[in-house]
Amino acid sequence: DTGVSQDPRHKITKRGQNVTFRCDPISEHNRLYWYRQTLGQGPEFLTYFQNEAQLEKSRLLSDRFSAERPKGSFSTLEIQRTEQGDSAMYLCASSAIQGPYEQYFGPGTRLTVT
Amino acid sequence: GEDVEQSLFLSVREGDSSVINCTYTDSSSTYLYWYKQEPGAGLQLLTYIFSNMDMKQDQRLTVLLNKKDKHLSLRIADTQTGDSAIYFCAETLNQAGTALIFGKGTTLSVSS
């Protein structure tokens, strides 16, 4: 297994545009998580899926953000009408459904909104 | 609410031991984790400890947990320049082990 992969690694977009990121988890992992990390901060939880069901969303996830995991494998995170404050590193992680719930992270997608 | 606190910076000399400290708030956390992040990279899981344990050792890494004081520490023995990175402490938001709450990270600088 090659681990968690994310695409693209970098994205530069203009304010107001929509962007979509993709995450491919470790194949045997049922759970998939999205986090956001800004400079000098630790990652902040956004949402997570167990198989195809989105079970939890943070209050950080505004209406402009939507995530899907249609077949319980890869996931997409879409940001509509991007704002400069959305500039951050978007991290995806996956884990098994049993303890110790070790979350393995991908390399991240760095979003810059100009 | 949930909060994880870490000191922001630690500087050590190569060959010394490093101790990175963390305090957490959620006593229901079942697992606590340490991650390492190198510049421009994602997070690498280093180790974890179950909440009913006091200590866990994994090669050069020793994790100590004081559940009464909600204090977690990571000791790195024989610190090397390759250990220079940001280290994050994280706790699970609930007993189902879903969302992780991270500290702001401790930047470890190792000089030769």
Side-chain angles (χ1 to χ4, degrees):
Chain A
D1 197 330
T2 56
V4 179
S5 61
Q6 293 186 245
D7 184 68
R9 294 291 306 278
H10 303 274
K11 179 73 177 177
I12 300 173
T13 192
K14 292 185 178 179
R15 186 163 50 97
Q17 298 294 303
N18 298 344
V19 294
T20 301
F21 310 140
R22 176 179 169 125
C23 171
D24 287 88
I26 292 170
S27 57
E28 60 266 30
H29 283 173
N30 298 99
R31 287 183 176 173
L32 185 148
Y33 311 79
W34 286 99
Y35 291 82
R36 181 174 70 186
Q37 185 179 24
T38 53
L39 197 62
Q41 303 294 318
E44 296 172 297
F45 170 75
L46 293 177
T47 188
Y48 98 95
F49 293 83
Q50 185 160 301
N51 300 313
E52 64 275 7
Q54 187 174 16
L55 296 186
E56 196 168 345
K57 290 195 282 189
S58 161
R59 59 182 178 274
L60 292 176
L61 208 67
S62 77
D63 292 345
R64 295 184 298 105
F65 288 69
S66 62
E68 293 183 345
R69 195 183 183 198
K71 297 181 181 177
S73 56
F74 74 91
S75 175
T76 58
L77 177 69
E78 181 184 17
I79 309 174
Q80 296 183 325
R81 304 180 304 280
T82 52
E83 302 173 356
Q84 286 190 320
D86 297 331
S87 294
M89 176 78 88
Y90 290 84
L91 295 164
C92 175
S94 68
S95 78
I97 202 170
Q98 305 93 358
Y101 312 109
E102 296 156 290
Q103 292 187 24
Y104 293 91
F105 282 78
T109 295
R110 181 168 295 284
L111 173 66
T112 302
V113 182
T114 61
Chain B
E2 312 93 18
D3 202 7
V4 176
E5 300 282 345
Q6 298 180 240
S7 52
L8 294 183
F9 195 78
L10 176 65
S11 180
V12 300
R13 297 182 69 90
E14 194 173 22
D16 288 349
S17 291
S18 307
V19 179
I20 302 170
N21 294 300
C22 168
T23 57
Y24 62 98
T25 56
D26 192 347
S27 57
S28 67
S29 294
T30 49
Y31 293 94
L32 296 123
Y33 308 85
W34 284 102
Y35 283 86
K36 175 183 179 183
Q37 188 175 37
E38 295 182 82
L43 278 76
Q44 175 193 353
L45 177 64
L46 290 176
T47 189
Y48 68 90
I49 189 166
F50 188 47
S51 58
N52 69 353
M53 298 169 65
D54 298 323
M55 184 181 86
K56 180 180 180 183
Q57 188 155 0
D58 185 358
Q59 300 183 335
R60 291 191 298 122
L61 305 179
T62 303
V63 180
L64 295 178
L65 175 60
N66 181 328
K67 199 170 181 182
K68 173 177 169 288
D69 294 337
K70 296 179 185 169
H71 183 265
L72 184 72
S73 67
L74 174 71
R75 178 177 179 268
I76 306 173
D78 187 25
T79 313
Q80 303 297 307
T81 54
D83 295 324
S84 294
I86 302 175
Y87 291 80
F88 292 96
C89 163
E91 61 173 338
T92 49
L93 184 60
N94 54 46
Q95 294 187 2
T98 57
L100 292 179
I101 306 299
F102 286 84
K104 291 187 177 182
T106 298
T107 299
L108 175 64
S109 175
V110 183
S111 57
S112 56

